[in-house]
């Protein structure tokens, strides 16, 4: 029997990690990991600025994100989670000579399924709203640099490229066959999303929990929490950056208000069935006090279940592939 190659060993290890990290999700949103943990979305649905600006958001120590275009908010994140909840399919692009010339990932569905997946009432009056949200996502580009904010800031002041990263739109194009609920809709993703799918840099989010959340803060924090199965605590500095706040720089009264909002959001996560419990830990004294939120996930990972215990879940659904000659 021939020995397995390094690539085959890596694939088997990745499959084993996937099985251990399963939490019994029935209809997950499978999306690129960097997008799930990005702080590119404001924690609100209304009052979003439509002016084309460049906003810099840091998620220490993971990445620095430049959002170019209009401000994105909770409703835009809701649409992305709904689209990635529906299965993305890979379509081969055939060149004029009949040979494969590349590939594109896109979601093919109906307006009804998009509204249903996002928890919106399935009524024709909501079709134009859904289309407008998709267009706003398409018109906004993200530039992501890996590494710390300090390194990014130093390089930018010197007029240099800070680090490795990518710059692209999230959605490439939107096509629809008509104004009815059952009309076919095709949403193609940007090049970096395709690369994330090809490299299997994906995470599985519990979308049922996400759409049960009432707090905008909770919806901003749940993808970050649920996409990292081995993490059990998160600092308030990171939670602040995910919603556009610099917690350390806030005045005392606003820091106290932020902790109140945090308590409501994490109680919402418990009520929605995402977390089993949580507690706030304070380290140090006075102004230099550091806060951490420790949490316990409501659904144990497959690797944490007793042998023989029912898991109640399916494996991570990877994008469906359409071989050459298929649609597209």
């Amino acid at each position: 029997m021939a020995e397995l190659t390094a690539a085959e060993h890596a694939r088997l290890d990745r499959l084993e990690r996937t099985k251990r990290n399963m939490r019994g999700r029935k209809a997950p949103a499978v999306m690129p990991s960097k997008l799930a943990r990005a702080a590119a979305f404001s924690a609100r649905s209304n009052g979003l600025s439509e002016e084309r600006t460049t906003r810099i958001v840091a998620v220490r120590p993971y990445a620095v994100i430049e959002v170019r275009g209009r401000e994105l908010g909770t409703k835009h994140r809701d649409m992305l989670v709904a689209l990635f909840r529906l299965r993305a399919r890979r379509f081969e692009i055939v060149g004029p000579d009949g040979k494969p010339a590349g590939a594109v990932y896109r979601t093919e569905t109906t307006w009804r399924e998009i509204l249903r997946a996002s928890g919106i009432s399935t009524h024709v009056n909501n079709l134009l709203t859904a289309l407008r949200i998709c267009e706003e996502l398409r018109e906004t580009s993200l530039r992501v640099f890996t590494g710390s904010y300090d390194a990014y800031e130093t390089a930018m002041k010197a007029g240099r490229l800070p680090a490795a990263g990518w710059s692209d739109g999230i959605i490439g194009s939107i096509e629809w066959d008509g104004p009815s609920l059952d009309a076919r809709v095709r949403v193609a993703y940007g090049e970096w999303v395709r690369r994330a799918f090809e490299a299997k840099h994906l995470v599985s989010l519990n979308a049922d929990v996400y759409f049960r959340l009432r707090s905008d803060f909770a919806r901003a924090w749940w993808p970050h929490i649920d996409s990292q199965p081995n993490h059990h605590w998160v600092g308030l500095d990171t939670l602040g950056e995910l919603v556009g706040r610099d917690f350390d720089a806030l005045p005392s009264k606003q820091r106290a208000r932020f902790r109140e909002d945090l308590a409501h959001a994490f109680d919402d996560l418990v009520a929605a069935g995402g977390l089993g419990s949580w507690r706030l830990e304070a380290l140090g004294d006075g102004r230099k006090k550091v806060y951490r939120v420790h949490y316990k996930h409501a659904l144990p990972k497959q690797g944490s279940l007793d042998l023989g215990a029912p898991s109640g879940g399916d494996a991570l659904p990877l994008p469906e592939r359409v071989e050459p000659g298929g649609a597209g």
Side-chain angles (χ1 to χ4, degrees), residues 189-255:
Y189 300 108
E191 175 66 16
W192 77 268
V193 175
R194 184 193 69 81
R195 292 199 303 268
F197 275 119
E198 297 288 355
K200 302 297 189 293
H201 292 163
L202 307 174
V203 292
S204 178
L205 301 183
N206 192 323
D208 287 331
V209 168
Y210 178 87
F211 286 110
R212 284 198 293 265
L213 296 171
R214 297 178 180 273
S215 166
D216 284 336
F217 277 9
R219 288 198 178 190
W221 294 334
W222 176 244
H224 181 86
I225 291 172
D226 197 38
S227 66
Q228 302 186 89
N230 295 322
H231 289 207
H232 303 285
W233 64 269
V234 60
L236 262 66
D237 54 345
T238 298
L239 293 178
E241 287 163 351
L242 286 168
V243 294
R245 307 282 198 283
D246 185 351
F247 179 76
D248 294 332
L250 291 176
S252 297
K253 289 186 178 180
Q254 292 186 24
R255 286 161 63 95

Side-chain angles (χ1 to χ4, degrees), residues 51-103:
E51 295 183 4
R52 298 194 63 84
T53 59
T54 299
R55 294 172 302 283
I56 301 174
V57 185
V59 182
R60 298 179 176 91
Y62 309 107
V64 178
I65 304 170
E66 294 181 0
V67 184
R68 296 173 177 270
R70 60 156 293 137
E71 184 179 16
L72 301 178
T74 301
K75 62 183 181 181
H76 300 95
R77 187 194 291 106
D78 290 352
M79 179 58 67
L80 279 178
V81 173
L83 289 175
F84 285 116
R85 194 177 192 183
L86 305 170
R87 179 164 295 192
R89 306 176 65 192
R90 183 178 190 273
F91 292 87
E92 297 284 354
I93 300 175
V94 180
D97 57 357
K99 296 181 180 180

Side-chain angles (χ1 to χ4, degrees), residues 35 40 65-67 72 140-144 166-168 170 192:
L35 183 59
I65 304 170
E66 294 181 0
V67 184
L72 301 178
T140 305
S141 64
L142 303 180
R143 179 188 288 176
V144 178
W166 48 263
S167 176
D168 198 1
I170 301 173
W192 77 268

Side-chain angles (χ1 to χ4, degrees), residues 14 48 52 304:
R14 184 170 62 245
L48 298 170
R52 298 194 63 84
S304 303

